[in-house]
Amino acid sequence: MNAVQRVTSLAGRVFGGEIAAFDGLRDAMNSLTLEDVGLHGSAAPPFRGPCGFIQVMQSDTFTMCVFLIRRGERIPLHNHPAMTGLMKVLHGHIQLRSFNSPALEGATLRRHQLIDARLVSVDPIQPKDDVQMLQPRLKNVHEVLAVDHSVFVDVLGPPYSTEEGRDCTYFEEQKHVDSEEDSPKRILKVVDAPAEFWTENLRYQGLPPEP
């Protein structure tokens, strides 16, 4: 079993309900390299947009993908409704800004709606760092800024699904709720996907994700 198959096998078990396999999944993701997912050295495959996207595998219970982001670009503030996610940076340096928002649980969102939220972390993440995790009630809304050209792997479960009510919604951060400048309270405004953000689909050329 290769390094990518270890991740997909353990992800299938975790998102199939075998919670005891979670530590193994985290360890397997921490062991991934650029070469495992078909990327080599510091150079990323050429792509035109701010972000490249590689689908590694998708099942009914989880999806595994790779994002490549140019220096100075960002993946805008967005959510992962009723989903759990693990992120491992393989190359570069990102800043991850994460929010909690109980108001989003089970909510039907409409354009320009205002949502109460709390900024819970602003983390610089590099390849030496452990897998990052989001849960349905913890760090479920985040923004990814590429401080340098960066590559990271995402494993999300269950996958986004319009039919099952798991759409990706984008947000715009509004002014502080409190007058104190260092308050973690925020208001998030539901917006359309930013016009300046788009991803270019790239072909996966890494280790086979299935036996």
Side-chain angles (χ1 to χ4, degrees):
M1 184 179 292
N2 66 48
V4 174
Q5 287 169 4
R6 281 195 292 274
V7 172
T8 58
S9 174
L10 286 160
R13 289 165 58 186
V14 168
F15 292 107
E18 189 181 335
I19 304 304
F22 175 80
D23 286 346
L25 173 58
R26 184 179 59 196
D27 291 345
M29 290 187 67
N30 274 328
S31 298
L32 284 174
T33 67
L34 277 177
E35 289 74 19
D36 291 336
V37 296
L39 304 173
H40 302 280
S42 60
F47 54 94
R48 297 184 301 276
C51 185
F53 173 83
I54 301 173
Q55 182 75 64
V56 179
M57 179 178 173
Q58 178 157 327
S59 72
D60 291 339
T61 57
F62 77 93
T63 182
M64 177 179 180
C65 55
V66 179
F67 286 91
L68 307 92
I69 316 178
R70 295 186 188 279
R71 180 188 298 115
E73 298 289 355
R74 66 188 179 99
I75 299 178
L77 200 57
H78 63 284
N79 70 342
H80 313 77
M83 299 160 71
T84 298
L86 298 95
M87 169 196 284
K88 174 60 182 176
V89 174
L90 301 183
H91 174 74
H93 178 188
I94 67 170
Q95 183 185 79
L96 186 65
R97 302 180 73 248
S98 302
F99 298 77
N100 290 351
S101 180
L104 288 174
E105 292 182 40
T108 299
L109 301 175
R110 62 185 186 278
R111 191 166 177 252
H112 296 160
Q113 183 176 347
L114 300 179
I115 303 291
D116 289 331
R118 180 175 290 268
L119 177 65
V120 292
S121 63
V122 180
D123 298 314
I125 312 295
Q126 300 180 55
K128 63 181 178 62
D129 294 310
D130 196 12
V131 165
Q132 303 298 301
M133 184 176 179
L134 63 86
Q135 298 173 291
R137 296 185 178 185
L138 181 65
K139 298 185 176 182
N140 194 265
V141 180
H142 69 204
E143 174 186 64
V144 182
L145 170 68
V147 178
D148 201 350
H149 299 315
S150 299
V151 179
F152 67 87
V153 174
D154 254 357
V155 173
L156 292 171
Y160 284 110
S161 171
T162 301
E163 293 77 12
E164 296 179 16
R166 293 189 301 275
D167 274 329
C168 181
T169 300
Y170 291 92
F171 302 90
E172 185 178 89
E173 188 177 349
Q174 305 294 291
K175 65 180 181 180
H176 291 207
V177 175
D178 292 349
S179 57
E180 294 85 354
E181 190 62 28
D182 60 352
S183 170
K185 294 183 179 180
R186 298 291 192 274
I187 294 176
L188 304 182
K189 180 180 179 182
V190 177
V191 296
D192 295 331
E196 68 274 12
F197 173 72
W198 56 284
T199 61
E200 180 176 342
N201 291 328
L202 304 171
R203 185 166 64 90
Y204 178 61
Q205 301 182 69
L207 297 173
E210 299 180 272

